[in-house]
Amino acid sequence: RERAMAFRALGAFGRWRVALRPALLGLAGSVVAGGLSLDAARMQAPALTAGTQAPAACPLSHTRDTYTGVIIESDALAGLDVAQFASALSESCVQWAEQGIRGVWLHVPLASSYCVPVAIGQGFAYHHATPTTLTLVRWLPSDAPNSLPPGPSHQVGVGAFVVHKGCLLMVKERSGPAGESSH
């Protein structure tokens, strides 16, 4: 149920990306798109509490992967409103491109789903989702083909046959695609 709600929420933002642009830029008022009314104030991240500091605007905190890419973890989005996130993401991608970074992976938790339309508008694409996180990717080099792996699309069953001295041992998984059949 939680996964279905996450997909509906993220799907709504993705479908009405263009219509929501005024709200994403922090303009006052509400936007109606496809029968959905979203108030600009609700598109804000939670405010910082007294005594906390805003994250550095550029670049977003990240880790490097082993394939000349960066991974923006979900904690990098904490405390950023839509405008701060848009600015930090844009500046970070420019800096990373100058440094030769090729792929950017952005993990967006449900609490920061307001960041999804901004990232999509800056060239990110959906990669995969879990019940609590959506992963977006962006290929930075314009002069090289995208070599990021595609998102998962299949589930593979596992089984084995072992023949030893005329005896046959069959191993089959209990759950999953191979476990569903009774033969």
Side-chain angles (χ1 to χ4, degrees):
R1 181 172 165 211
E2 183 178 321
R3 174 183 271 179
M5 291 188 321
F7 280 112
R8 275 183 282 197
L10 295 174
F13 282 113
R15 279 194 298 266
W16 294 299
R17 173 182 75 218
V18 175
L20 292 174
R21 189 152 312 211
L24 295 176
L25 297 175
L27 302 176
S30 61
V31 175
V32 177
L36 177 69
S37 175
L38 293 174
D39 190 74
R42 290 195 334 225
M43 297 289 290
Q44 303 294 318
L48 294 173
T49 58
T52 60
Q53 296 179 352
C58 181
L60 288 168
S61 62
H62 62 281
T63 57
R64 291 198 180 224
D65 66 18
T66 56
Y67 303 100
T68 320
V70 295
I71 302 166
I72 305 169
E73 295 296 341
S74 56
D75 58 348
L77 309 179
L80 295 176
D81 65 20
V82 174
Q84 290 171 327
F85 172 71
S87 175
L89 184 62
S90 176
E91 291 176 24
S92 295
C93 286
V94 168
Q95 283 188 9
W96 291 327
E98 290 171 355
Q99 296 169 4
I101 298 298
R102 300 168 65 79
V104 180
W105 298 79
L106 173 60
H107 299 292
V108 183
L110 289 177
S112 299
S113 62
Y114 60 89
C115 296
V116 173
V118 173
I120 296 294
Q122 291 190 25
F124 281 77
Y126 296 112
H127 189 266
H128 68 274
T130 66
T132 59
T133 305
L134 175 67
T135 299
L136 303 170
V137 294
R138 180 173 172 194
W139 183 253
L140 294 178
S142 58
D143 59 346
N146 184 342
S147 64
L148 293 174
S153 62
H154 295 78
Q155 183 176 355
V156 179
V158 177
F161 286 100
V162 178
V163 178
H164 179 67
K165 295 183 183 179
C167 294
L168 174 67
L169 171 65
M170 184 175 101
V171 179
K172 182 176 113 174
E173 63 185 29
R174 289 185 184 181
S175 63
E180 292 174 3
S181 65
S182 60
H183 40 92

